[in-house]
Amino acid sequence: MRADAQRNRERMVAVAAEVVAEQGADASLEEIARRAGVGSATLHRHFGGRVTLLEAVFRSSVDAVCVRADELLDHPDPLQALQIWLRAMVGHATSSRGLATALVLGEACGSDAHARVITAGRRLLERAQRAGAVPADVRIEDLLKLVNGISLASCEDSAQADRLLTLAMRGIAPTQS
């Protein structure tokens, strides 16, 4: 793919993520194209349609939280690194709400994304557990369910989501708060 075509594609995915976060998975493709500064035909040429574009948005979001987890492995405080990542996961869960339903993800796409997120988070959790900041019986799957519940309960209110995550972390690591 030519460099300009790749930049257009990346810009369309980034803009689509913003529009989907604002309007949901049924956001107007024409609005996405307009905000990205491309024609509707360009959007369709790159993605073919809504499902392929939404898959790209979802993968981009998963890529971002996995990269963030990798970056946080060098953070000096393992518990704080885990908390920062869980806050990023609340943002991911909130912004991608409705994507999985809209996509009716195939097993490969859904399983791969789920496995990548679990692996990324597990490394941070295990690091916090080795440091004695989080009990050994805490599982990453449980933390991700908490994040999803917080995302759903906060209805896009980031301040409330932050308060709920802080409360959950007090229960997970009470001596560290």
Side-chain angles (χ1 to χ4, degrees), residues 96-129:
S96 63
R97 187 177 303 140
L99 277 180
T101 303
L103 291 172
V104 189
L105 289 172
E107 190 62 31
C109 178
S111 293
D112 177 59
H114 185 68
R116 288 179 58 219
V117 168
I118 286 176
T119 299
R122 184 173 286 134
R123 290 191 321 245
L124 290 169
L125 173 60
E126 288 173 350
R127 185 170 169 251
Q129 289 170 325

Side-chain angles (χ1 to χ4, degrees), residues 13-25 27-29 31-33 35:
V13 170
V15 168
E18 291 171 12
V19 175
V20 166
E22 291 170 12
Q23 301 174 13
S28 162
L29 295 181
E31 173 69 7
I32 293 168
R35 287 194 198 182

